[in-house]
Amino acid sequence: MILMLREKKMSRPPALKVLNFALQGDEGINCCAKFIDVYGLRSLFPCFMKTPGKKAKRGGFSEQEWVEHVTSIISHLLRNLSGSQLQRLMNKFVEDDHLKVDRLVELHLFYLNRAKIVDREIMEEKSQLDQIDEEKDNEFYMKRLDAGLFTLQRLNYIMLSIGTAGISTVLDRVRQLLNLKGENLEPVREIMQEYADSLGMIKIKLTKKS
């Protein structure tokens, strides 16, 4: 799989799809450790930093699907790694003057804008309905996921994980970039809290300062 990612050909989309499946959940813990041991990060992060667009589509992926798989893989690694292996992953977001944090915020803003658009559409549709049952509510939620909320949740999970890992410069960089666009960390909290609520988890906290 690692070699397929490095080849930068049409084999990359299926390789990302297989890795996404292999690294997830408790069953993926050993695979995540192995991925780090064979220097998989060297092949993964170029996929994170640049989306091939139409080339990805020819390989069977849309641009959104590409980002979805890459961010899901990073999320699996953050959940399943520990110790020095997790630190190697965290260091990727600090190197090159936080270049990968810049990319993370760029993607966050893009998918946040898409989420806002579809939320407005849903609110307009709701205003024209007399009653919204559970089935319709689930339909709206699936529409939001398909429009990019799923990817946004993965991006925000990554942001939350690296931002609360004790590396103060990461959140400082995130705040700086968001402020330049007139945004802050509140949408990150809200989106991740909604996701946590759906899983029955505890409240999401970053820091008091946003």
XYZ file of all heavy atoms in Angstrom, residues 92-142:
444
model
N 4.784 16.086 12.639
C 4.527 16.441 11.242
C 3.786 17.778 11.125
O 3.950 18.493 10.139
C 3.714 15.333 10.554
C 4.516 14.095 10.200
C 5.478 14.402 9.062
C 6.266 13.191 8.640
N 7.206 13.509 7.545
N 2.970 18.080 12.127
C 2.191 19.313 12.073
C 2.980 20.521 12.561
O 2.512 21.651 12.425
C 0.911 19.146 12.898
C -0.093 18.226 12.260
C -0.125 16.880 12.592
C -0.984 18.697 11.313
C -1.034 16.020 11.992
C -1.893 17.848 10.708
C -1.912 16.505 11.051
N 4.151 20.283 13.118
C 4.978 21.378 13.611
C 6.095 21.720 12.630
O 6.510 22.876 12.512
C 5.574 21.024 14.990
C 6.436 22.157 15.531
C 4.459 20.696 15.981
N 6.570 20.708 11.895
C 7.698 20.917 10.999
C 7.352 21.890 9.875
O 6.180 22.127 9.581
C 8.158 19.575 10.404
C 7.146 18.922 9.497
C 7.588 17.555 8.991
O 8.469 16.939 9.613
O 7.025 17.099 7.968
N 8.392 22.448 9.273
C 8.239 23.404 8.160
C 7.357 24.593 8.549
O 6.492 25.037 7.776
C 7.652 22.712 6.924
C 8.551 21.608 6.398
O 9.786 21.755 6.462
O 8.013 20.584 5.928
N 7.579 25.093 9.759
C 6.841 26.262 10.253
C 5.323 26.031 10.198
O 4.558 26.875 9.729
C 7.219 27.514 9.450
C 6.710 28.792 10.098
O 6.510 28.804 11.324
O 6.481 29.771 9.367
N 4.888 24.841 10.684
C 3.463 24.515 10.811
C 2.738 24.508 9.457
O 1.545 24.820 9.376
C 2.752 25.487 11.752
C 3.307 25.512 13.139
N 4.426 26.231 13.470
C 2.888 24.903 14.279
C 4.682 26.075 14.758
N 3.769 25.269 15.275
N 3.434 24.110 8.413
C 2.839 24.125 7.078
C 1.595 23.244 6.991
O 0.613 23.585 6.327
C 3.879 23.679 6.043
C 3.500 23.835 4.568
C 3.262 25.296 4.228
C 4.599 23.252 3.674
N 1.622 22.107 7.676
C 0.478 21.193 7.619
C -0.692 21.704 8.457
O -1.846 21.361 8.176
C 0.919 19.791 8.050
C 1.928 19.187 7.081
C 2.496 17.894 7.571
C 3.570 17.383 6.605
N 4.744 18.292 6.553
N -0.409 22.516 9.465
C -1.489 23.180 10.199
C -2.164 24.194 9.282
O -3.394 24.332 9.288
C -0.947 23.863 11.468
C -2.057 24.674 12.147
C -0.386 22.828 12.434
N -1.371 24.886 8.492
C -1.934 25.831 7.521
C -2.888 25.119 6.568
O -3.981 25.611 6.263
C -0.814 26.495 6.708
C 0.095 27.362 7.562
O -0.193 27.537 8.762
O 1.093 27.865 7.022
N -2.478 23.970 6.090
C -3.318 23.190 5.182
C -4.582 22.699 5.901
O -5.681 22.721 5.325
C -2.524 21.994 4.644
C -3.307 20.991 3.816
C -3.865 21.600 2.560
N -4.407 20.572 1.670
C -5.207 20.816 0.653
N -5.578 22.071 0.382
N -5.653 19.840 -0.108
N -4.435 22.300 7.140
C -5.571 21.840 7.936
C -6.615 22.939 8.077
O -7.817 22.700 7.900
C -5.078 21.391 9.320
C -6.104 20.812 10.283
C -6.683 19.520 9.738
C -5.469 20.570 11.649
N -6.171 24.146 8.369
C -7.095 25.274 8.513
C -7.719 25.627 7.165
O -8.914 25.953 7.088
C -6.374 26.496 9.119
C -7.295 27.716 9.131
C -5.897 26.187 10.535
N -6.928 25.564 6.107
C -7.450 25.830 4.759
C -8.608 24.885 4.429
O -9.669 25.310 3.949
C -6.333 25.656 3.733
C -6.786 25.795 2.283
C -5.707 25.379 1.290
O -4.562 25.119 1.701
O -6.024 25.314 0.074
N -8.421 23.603 4.689
C -9.470 22.625 4.420
C -10.657 22.826 5.361
O -11.817 22.688 4.949
C -8.915 21.206 4.569
C -7.931 20.765 3.482
C -7.260 19.448 3.870
C -8.640 20.612 2.138
N -10.376 23.131 6.609
C -11.446 23.392 7.579
C -12.347 24.517 7.091
O -13.584 24.394 7.118
C -10.836 23.752 8.940
C -11.794 24.438 9.861
N -12.769 23.773 10.571
C -11.940 25.758 10.180
C -13.470 24.644 11.288
N -12.985 25.851 11.071
N -11.763 25.605 6.645
C -12.553 26.757 6.187
C -13.364 26.419 4.944
O -14.516 26.852 4.803
C -11.628 27.942 5.915
C -10.987 28.588 7.154
C -9.923 29.595 6.744
C -12.041 29.254 8.028
N -12.771 25.638 4.044
C -13.474 25.254 2.820
C -14.712 24.419 3.141
O -15.825 24.692 2.651
C -12.533 24.469 1.906
C -13.186 23.953 0.652
C -13.413 24.788 -0.423
C -13.583 22.624 0.562
C -14.027 24.313 -1.579
C -14.203 22.140 -0.585
C -14.420 22.993 -1.662
N -14.534 23.399 3.995
C -15.651 22.511 4.301
C -16.631 23.152 5.290
O -17.823 22.814 5.284
C -15.141 21.158 4.807
C -14.646 20.296 3.670
C -13.299 20.249 3.340
C -15.536 19.576 2.887
C -12.839 19.491 2.276
C -15.095 18.821 1.818
C -13.750 18.774 1.511
O -13.312 18.043 0.443
N -16.155 24.078 6.102
C -17.058 24.820 6.971
C -17.999 25.678 6.137
O -19.205 25.753 6.425
C -16.253 25.699 7.928
C -17.064 26.577 8.889
C -17.902 25.721 9.834
C -16.137 27.488 9.686
N -17.481 26.290 5.100
C -18.321 27.095 4.209
C -19.369 26.226 3.513
O -20.537 26.615 3.395
C -17.452 27.801 3.171
C -18.267 28.722 2.271
O -18.902 29.656 2.734
N -18.237 28.450 0.965
N -18.968 25.047 3.073
C -19.923 24.129 2.449
C -21.007 23.713 3.440
O -22.183 23.602 3.087
C -19.197 22.905 1.906
C -18.293 23.207 0.729
C -17.667 21.963 0.149
N -18.662 21.016 -0.343
C -18.383 19.967 -1.111
N -17.129 19.756 -1.491
N -19.322 19.157 -1.504
N -20.597 23.478 4.681
C -21.560 23.083 5.712
C -22.556 24.199 5.984
O -23.757 23.944 6.171
C -20.816 22.714 6.998
N -22.078 25.437 6.000
C -22.965 26.575 6.237
C -23.994 26.708 5.118
O -25.166 27.025 5.367
C -22.154 27.862 6.352
C -21.333 27.971 7.638
C -20.532 29.264 7.653
C -19.760 29.415 8.947
N -18.943 30.670 8.966
N -23.561 26.464 3.889
C -24.467 26.568 2.741
C -25.592 25.542 2.832
O -26.780 25.862 2.682
C -23.697 26.405 1.416
C -22.773 27.600 1.190
C -24.661 26.237 0.246
C -21.842 27.442 0.009
N -25.221 24.294 3.099
C -26.242 23.246 3.166
C -27.119 23.425 4.401
O -28.328 23.110 4.370
C -25.605 21.840 3.141
C -24.949 21.485 4.470
C -26.639 20.775 2.776
N -26.581 23.950 5.490
C -27.396 24.218 6.690
C -28.454 25.269 6.392
O -29.602 25.170 6.868
C -26.513 24.680 7.844
C -25.754 23.531 8.498
O -26.079 22.370 8.203
O -24.830 23.806 9.295
N -28.081 26.294 5.608
C -29.069 27.313 5.224
C -30.157 26.709 4.350
O -31.346 27.045 4.489
C -28.373 28.473 4.502
C -27.557 29.378 5.426
C -27.211 30.694 4.749
N -26.310 30.500 3.618
C -24.987 30.565 3.710
N -24.405 30.790 4.889
N -24.228 30.402 2.637
N -29.758 25.820 3.446
C -30.742 25.165 2.584
C -31.712 24.320 3.400
O -32.924 24.306 3.135
C -30.018 24.295 1.555
C -29.210 25.088 0.535
C -28.401 24.176 -0.380
O -28.375 22.944 -0.121
O -27.805 24.686 -1.351
N -31.192 23.627 4.386
C -32.029 22.774 5.226
C -32.971 23.615 6.086
O -34.148 23.272 6.257
C -31.144 21.859 6.107
C -30.469 20.792 5.226
C -31.968 21.194 7.208
C -29.462 19.941 5.963
N -32.463 24.712 6.613
C -33.307 25.604 7.411
C -34.454 26.157 6.572
O -35.595 26.258 7.045
C -32.465 26.750 7.973
C -31.526 26.347 9.093
S -32.397 25.680 10.542
C -33.314 27.132 11.064
N -34.185 26.493 5.323
C -35.223 26.984 4.420
C -36.258 25.891 4.157
O -37.475 26.164 4.153
C -34.592 27.430 3.107
C -35.576 27.897 2.051
C -36.337 29.146 2.451
O -35.808 29.913 3.293
O -37.457 29.357 1.941
N -35.778 24.664 3.957
C -36.689 23.549 3.709
C -37.533 23.259 4.952
O -38.729 22.973 4.848
C -35.897 22.305 3.303
C -36.763 21.143 2.873
C -35.971 19.984 2.306
O -34.764 20.172 2.042
O -36.552 18.898 2.145
N -36.922 23.335 6.121
C -37.646 23.084 7.361
C -38.751 24.108 7.586
O -39.819 23.782 8.109
C -36.685 23.109 8.554
C -35.832 21.859 8.711
C -34.950 21.948 9.956
C -34.193 20.657 10.180
N -33.326 20.722 11.400
N -38.476 25.347 7.189
C -39.458 26.416 7.396
C -40.732 26.197 6.580
O -41.779 26.781 6.877
C -38.841 27.771 7.037
O -38.592 27.863 5.638
N -40.635 25.351 5.565
C -41.786 25.094 4.708
C -42.527 23.812 5.090
O -43.502 23.444 4.453
C -41.325 25.004 3.251
C -40.676 26.289 2.734
C -40.127 26.143 1.328
O -40.440 25.190 0.626
N -39.317 27.118 0.908
N -42.036 23.142 6.129
C -42.659 21.896 6.577
C -43.488 22.137 7.827
O -43.102 22.891 8.709
C -41.584 20.843 6.867
C -40.720 20.396 5.677
C -39.621 19.448 6.152
C -41.578 19.725 4.608
N -44.644 21.471 7.894
C -45.504 21.592 9.069
C -44.949 20.782 10.232
O -45.092 21.158 11.402
C -46.927 21.109 8.740
C -47.593 22.002 7.711
O -47.274 23.213 7.678
O -48.419 21.485 6.924
N -44.328 19.641 9.904
C -43.830 18.762 10.959
C -42.573 18.043 10.450
O -42.471 17.695 9.275
C -44.902 17.743 11.345
C -44.525 16.851 12.510
C -45.664 15.921 12.894
O -46.758 16.010 12.355
N -45.396 15.027 13.841
N -41.620 17.819 11.355
C -40.389 17.112 11.002
C -40.266 15.897 11.914
O -40.034 16.026 13.125
C -39.155 18.026 11.164
C -39.291 19.276 10.290
C -37.874 17.266 10.814
C -38.200 20.294 10.499
N -40.462 14.712 11.348
C -40.346 13.500 12.148
C -38.894 13.025 12.186
O -38.002 13.618 11.574
C -41.264 12.400 11.609
C -40.995 12.074 10.142
O -39.888 12.382 9.641
O -41.889 11.521 9.480
N -38.639 11.950 12.902
C -37.278 11.445 13.074
C -36.661 11.015 11.746
O -35.479 11.242 11.493
C -37.271 10.264 14.048
C -35.876 9.725 14.357
C -35.896 8.596 15.371
O -36.983 8.317 15.925
O -34.834 8.003 15.613
N -37.475 10.418 10.894
C -36.975 9.978 9.590
C -36.507 11.165 8.752
O -35.450 11.117 8.122
C -38.065 9.212 8.844
C -37.614 8.684 7.482
C -38.713 7.905 6.775
O -39.774 7.668 7.389
O -38.497 7.532 5.594
N -37.289 12.239 8.767
C -36.921 13.431 8.006
C -35.690 14.094 8.608
O -34.814 14.580 7.881
C -38.096 14.420 7.997
C -37.912 15.591 7.029
C -37.846 15.117 5.586
C -37.728 16.273 4.620
N -37.642 15.827 3.214
N -35.604 14.087 9.931
C -34.453 14.676 10.602
C -33.182 13.910 10.245
O -32.119 14.511 10.016
C -34.671 14.660 12.118
C -33.845 15.716 12.827
O -33.731 16.836 12.298
O -33.305 15.414 13.903
N -33.290 12.584 10.190
C -32.143 11.759 9.786
C -31.763 12.029 8.332
O -30.579 12.015 7.977
C -32.458 10.279 9.971
C -32.515 9.874 11.429
O -31.911 10.523 12.287
N -33.240 8.807 11.727
N -32.756 12.268 7.507
C -32.504 12.586 6.100
C -31.720 13.889 5.974
O -30.789 13.987 5.173
C -33.842 12.701 5.367
C -33.712 13.013 3.893
C -35.053 13.191 3.211
O -35.993 12.438 3.558
O -35.180 14.085 2.335
N -32.088 14.871 6.781
C -31.357 16.145 6.771
C -29.914 15.942 7.215
O -28.992 16.533 6.653
C -32.051 17.157 7.697
C -33.302 17.746 7.128
C -34.424 17.950 7.937
C -33.375 18.113 5.792
C -35.576 18.504 7.410
C -34.530 18.675 5.256
C -35.628 18.869 6.072
N -29.735 15.115 8.245
C -28.387 14.885 8.758
C -27.522 14.178 7.714
O -26.343 14.513 7.535
C -28.438 14.063 10.043
C -27.090 13.928 10.734
C -26.441 15.056 11.242
C -26.467 12.694 10.869
C -25.213 14.946 11.876
C -25.244 12.581 11.497
C -24.616 13.702 11.997
O -23.394 13.592 12.614
N -28.093 13.228 7.004
C -27.355 12.529 5.956
C -26.992 13.482 4.826
O -25.906 13.388 4.240
C -28.183 11.363 5.414
C -28.353 10.209 6.391
S -26.761 9.526 6.942
C -26.045 9.010 5.384
